[in-house]
Amino acid sequence: MSKVLLAKTLSGTSHIGQRYGTENYFDYHICGVVESLKIHDLPEDFIIVGYLHDIVEDTSVTLDTIENLFDKTIRDAVDAITKRKEESRADYLARCSTNKIARLVKLHDAMFNATNCHKNKNENKFTYYLQTISKLTLWG
């Protein structure tokens, strides 16, 4: 099994039952972010992290599992994109920006979320994600 297919399978099974509004979380959000990464012809490591970008934060999958299944590069990127409970948003975005894979995947994640907030006329969240995009762009 390819590493991309492994990441897709792990993410799909780990996010079962989660929702993005009325949509299936994996099918809509995770695959939406990955599709954006693919459209921009990013390398395989970015696609793998795209599939795994919410897995540690939102499921029982650990960073050790990620490293065992993939490698340290993927583990480090997933670690960088995973917000810690006690971490401020500013600290999180600064830390995320230190890893080139995490930073770019987070930019695609924030753009996906901003687009959906705009479609749903959620201006507060739309502004939140635009600020995220701005900070990640400036720190890159």
Side-chain angles (χ1 to χ4, degrees):
M1 177 182 295
S2 77
K3 295 287 185 171
V4 170
L5 184 55
L6 177 60
K8 181 179 182 180
T9 302
L10 178 62
S11 184
T13 57
S14 297
H15 288 290
I16 286 177
Q18 295 178 357
R19 308 297 294 170
Y20 188 101
T22 61
E23 304 290 337
N24 174 288
Y25 192 81
F26 174 77
D27 292 337
Y28 188 72
H29 177 69
I30 301 293
C31 290
V33 171
V34 169
E35 187 58 31
S36 177
L37 295 164
K38 287 179 177 179
I39 287 169
H40 289 88
D41 201 27
L42 290 165
E44 186 174 273
D45 284 354
F46 291 79
I47 305 305
I48 291 168
V49 173
Y51 278 120
L52 303 175
H53 77 272
D54 283 338
I55 203 162
V56 172
E57 194 171 328
D58 294 344
T59 77
S60 61
V61 175
T62 66
L63 290 169
D64 287 340
T65 299
I66 299 298
E67 188 166 357
N68 289 333
L69 291 174
F70 300 95
D71 58 34
K72 186 167 174 13
T73 299
I74 300 300
R75 181 222 185 270
D76 289 349
V78 172
D79 184 29
I81 205 168
T82 300
K83 185 178 183 304
R84 288 140 174 78
K85 288 182 184 1
E86 72 285 350
E87 194 170 36
S88 72
R89 178 175 175 227
D91 288 345
Y92 163 64
L93 292 174
R95 186 174 54 76
C96 184
S97 293
T98 65
N99 182 289
K100 70 178 184 176
I101 297 172
R103 182 180 154 273
L104 198 52
V105 172
K106 186 64 184 175
L107 278 166
H108 283 257
D109 174 54
M111 184 57 76
F112 181 91
N113 289 328
T115 300
N116 279 282
C117 290
H118 182 67
K119 281 194 285 191
N120 295 324
K121 297 181 177 21
N122 185 339
E123 292 305 314
N124 287 339
K125 280 298 217 177
F126 177 68
T127 300
Y128 174 90
Y129 288 115
L130 288 182
Q131 290 169 349
T132 298
I133 293 163
S134 176
K135 288 177 183 182
L136 289 167
T137 302
L138 291 172
W139 288 333

